[in-house]
Amino acid sequence: ETFCNGVASHSSNVSWTATSGTVYRIRVRPFATTANTYNYGLTVQCPPADPNAPPLPTLSPGVSDSCAAPKVVNCGDTIYATMIGATSFDPDSLADGFRDQWYVLSGPGKLVSASTCSDFTDFDTVLEVYVGECASMTLEA
């Protein structure tokens, strides 16, 4: 059971040390393929920036329903989204039957935390973090 602000919730949390410049793919999906509500809030947090760190690669915004066209997120972002209309078949990545939304983050060279802890989240979420191209990703966290 996951807790959000001290209360049992539908949220998921994941943390990992993000290598500077590495592109991380964050997947939000329901815990079960039969989820009947689909709204969620996603927050990505990182400790304060290192002033001596090299600049991060520039990523272009995406539409988020496909691994190949994810929406860009940055440290400090909070996104409110829905699974309504999301597809469950993504031939470029994981054809596992789950509706999903994809986000991409350029690693800042430090600990990153992503969470769906939000009053807006109304279904049991799962967060997964991958590295690599969609057809050959490796689960990071």
Side-chain angles (χ1 to χ4, degrees):
E1 187 165 29
T2 303
F3 289 85
C4 179
N5 300 323
V7 178
S9 75
H10 302 291
S11 67
S12 294
N13 303 294
V14 63
S15 296
W16 72 100
T17 300
T19 303
S20 183
T22 298
V23 174
Y24 294 89
R25 297 177 187 281
I26 303 169
R27 181 186 190 205
V28 180
R29 69 168 178 87
F31 179 76
T33 57
T34 57
N36 59 4
T37 52
Y38 299 100
N39 300 311
Y40 65 92
L42 172 68
T43 300
V44 178
Q45 296 179 340
C46 310
D50 176 357
N52 299 316
L56 299 176
T58 302
L59 302 171
S60 58
V63 294
S64 86
D65 186 35
S66 166
C67 176
K71 182 168 178 51
V72 174
V73 291
N74 295 295
C75 293
D77 284 356
T78 297
I79 295 169
Y80 297 100
T82 184
M83 288 289 181
I84 296 170
T87 59
S88 59
F89 180 70
D90 190 351
D92 294 329
S93 58
L94 309 167
D96 58 10
F98 289 104
R99 295 175 187 235
D100 54 15
Q101 295 286 333
W102 290 89
Y103 299 88
V104 66
L105 170 81
S106 183
K110 56 185 157 186
L111 183 69
V112 175
S113 297
S115 174
T116 55
C117 177
S118 167
D119 290 339
F120 193 69
T121 301
D122 61 8
F123 67 101
D124 288 330
T125 59
V126 174
L127 286 172
E128 299 164 340
V129 178
Y130 294 89
V131 293
E133 296 302 316
C134 296
S136 60
M137 297 182 296
T138 301
L139 185 64
E140 176 78 11

